[in-house]
């Protein structure tokens, strides 16, 4: 290839001698390298445009300049209330008041209720009177609602009565109900019917009981029949029966 920077050259080594082989694209690589190097084959500085005499360096042209002044606004100027409107040139004049204050005061005094005398007490037979406020006697005895039951106590009593009625209603709903005669006869008939069915099964048992299964079945039937006999006896003897559904 002739250039060490060419990456497309391939070298093949043999045991006897070294042979150099070039790729088919070698001439393209050389042409590209000549093209990139020919741009820098110049004599002297590169040719640039000379500045014109009209664009000479002016005084203070390199100094930094402040931006153009903008009107000042607060950050919350949108939320602020509008300014106070200017005072009008011809303000509205109030009309003179034609009210007769002397006559109105006289009418108020005539219609007013008479003043209550101060509360006093007499402590001698000669009628010596003393003011009650400065005497040291408690003032609450002259209160308007003195001796009456306060409203909060009345409300507490009403709530207590409502709660008592609620408890009575709940107790009435939850109390056991009495069994009627028709239901009682129907209950006795059902108990006796069940006892007859168990008795029929008991009589159908074999005479010789020699297995555990038959023994256990006989014991279950006897226990159930005894319990039914107790229930029948209790229903027949008790005149009043209550049923609790809870």
């Amino acid at each position: 290839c002739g250039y060490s920077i060419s990456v497309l050259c391939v070298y093949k080594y043999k045991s006897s001698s070294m042979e150099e082989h070039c790729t088919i694209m070698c001439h393209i690589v050389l042409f590209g390298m000549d093209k990139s190097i020919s741009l820098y084959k110049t004599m002297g500085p590169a040719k640039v445009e000379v500045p014109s005499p009209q664009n000479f360096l002016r005084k203070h042209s390199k100094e930094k300049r402040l931006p153009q002044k903008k009107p000042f606004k607060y950050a919350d100027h949108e939320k602020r209330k509008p300014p106070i409107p200017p005072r009008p040139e011809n303000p509205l004049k109030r009309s003179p008041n034609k009210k007769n204050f002397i006559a109105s005061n006289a009418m108020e005094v005539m219609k007013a209720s008479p003043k209550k005398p101060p509360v006093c007490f007499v402590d001698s037979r000669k009628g010596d009177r003393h003011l009650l406020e400065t005497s040291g006697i408690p003032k609450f005895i002259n209160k308007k609602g003195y001796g009456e039951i306060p409203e909060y106590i009345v409300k507490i009593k009403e709530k207590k009565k409502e709660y008592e009625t609620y408890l009575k209603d709940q107790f009435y709903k939850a109390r056991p109900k009495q069994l009627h005669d028709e239901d009682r006869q129907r209950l006795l008939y059902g108990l006796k019917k069940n006892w007859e069915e168990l008795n029929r099964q008991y009589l159908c048992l074999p005479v010789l009981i020699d297995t555990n299964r038959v023994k256990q079945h006989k014991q279950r039937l006897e226990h159930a029949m005894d319990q039914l006999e107790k229930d029948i006896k209790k229903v027949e003897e008790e005149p009043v029966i209550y049923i609790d559904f809870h």
Side-chain angles (χ1 to χ4, degrees):
C1 292
Y3 293 93
S4 60
I5 59 173
S6 178
V7 295
L8 300 175
C9 296
V10 178
Y11 296 95
K12 187 176 181 181
Y13 294 93
K14 291 185 178 180
S15 59
S16 61
S17 62
M18 183 176 66
E19 295 181 1
E20 185 177 355
H21 298 278
C22 293
T23 61
I24 303 171
M25 310 300 289
C26 186
H27 63 282
I28 299 173
V29 176
L30 293 174
F31 177 74
M33 290 177 64
D34 293 339
K35 189 177 179 181
S36 60
I37 293 171
S38 62
L39 296 175
Y40 300 97
K41 293 179 179 179
T42 58
M43 292 295 291
K47 293 181 180 181
V48 294
E49 295 182 1
V50 181
S52 63
Q54 285 79 15
N55 297 332
F56 59 89
L57 184 63
R58 298 182 181 275
K59 190 176 181 181
H60 304 293
S61 62
K62 298 291 185 178
E63 293 180 359
K64 293 183 179 180
R65 294 184 180 182
L66 295 174
Q68 190 176 1
K69 191 175 181 180
K70 296 180 181 179
F72 175 75
K73 288 183 180 180
Y74 289 98
D76 57 344
H77 68 280
E78 296 180 356
K79 298 181 181 178
R80 292 194 173 195
K81 295 181 179 179
I84 299 171
R87 187 176 180 182
E89 296 179 0
N90 298 323
L92 296 173
K93 294 181 180 180
R94 294 182 180 180
S95 59
N97 194 355
K98 298 180 180 180
K99 182 181 178 181
N100 190 354
F101 289 95
I102 297 172
S104 62
N105 291 340
M107 290 297 295
E108 288 178 4
V109 170
M110 285 188 288
K111 291 180 180 179
S113 59
K115 188 178 180 181
K116 293 182 180 180
V119 182
C120 301
F121 72 97
V122 179
D123 60 347
S124 65
R125 61 182 181 177
K126 293 181 180 180
D128 295 333
R129 299 174 65 191
H130 303 281
L131 292 174
L132 188 65
E133 292 183 0
T134 59
S135 64
I137 298 174
K139 299 178 184 179
F140 58 83
I141 59 174
N142 296 319
K143 215 173 179 181
K144 187 177 180 180
Y146 179 73
E148 297 179 0
I149 301 173
E151 293 183 0
Y152 73 93
I153 294 178
V154 175
K155 290 180 181 179
I156 290 171
K157 288 184 178 180
E158 289 178 356
K159 289 182 180 179
K160 190 175 181 181
K161 287 181 180 179
E162 290 177 359
Y163 183 67
E164 287 177 356
T165 53
Y166 170 75
L167 289 178
K168 286 180 181 179
D169 295 339
Q170 293 296 325
F171 178 75
Y172 180 76
K173 292 178 182 178
R175 69 175 183 175
K177 295 184 179 180
Q178 185 178 357
L179 191 67
H180 299 289
D181 293 337
E182 296 178 359
D183 297 335
R184 183 179 181 183
Q185 295 298 329
R186 197 179 299 110
L187 179 63
L188 276 172
Y189 178 76
L191 292 172
K192 289 179 180 179
K193 196 78 176 174
N194 293 339
W195 186 87
E196 289 175 0
E197 179 63 25
L198 293 175
N199 188 26
R200 185 187 65 78
Q201 295 179 12
Y202 186 78
L203 295 175
C204 292
L205 290 173
V207 178
L208 182 61
I209 300 172
D210 54 353
T211 60
N212 291 329
R213 186 181 66 81
V214 179
K215 288 180 181 179
Q216 291 175 1
H217 183 55
K218 181 183 178 184
Q219 290 175 1
R220 284 196 298 270
L221 290 173
E222 290 176 352
H223 179 71
M225 289 171 67
D226 292 340
Q227 186 64 37
L228 284 172
E229 288 174 1
K230 290 179 183 178
D231 295 340
I232 292 168
K233 185 178 180 182
K234 186 177 290 186
V235 172
E236 289 177 347
E237 290 178 356
E238 296 293 337
V240 180
I241 299 173
Y242 290 95
I243 301 173
D244 190 5
F245 293 98
H246 297 283

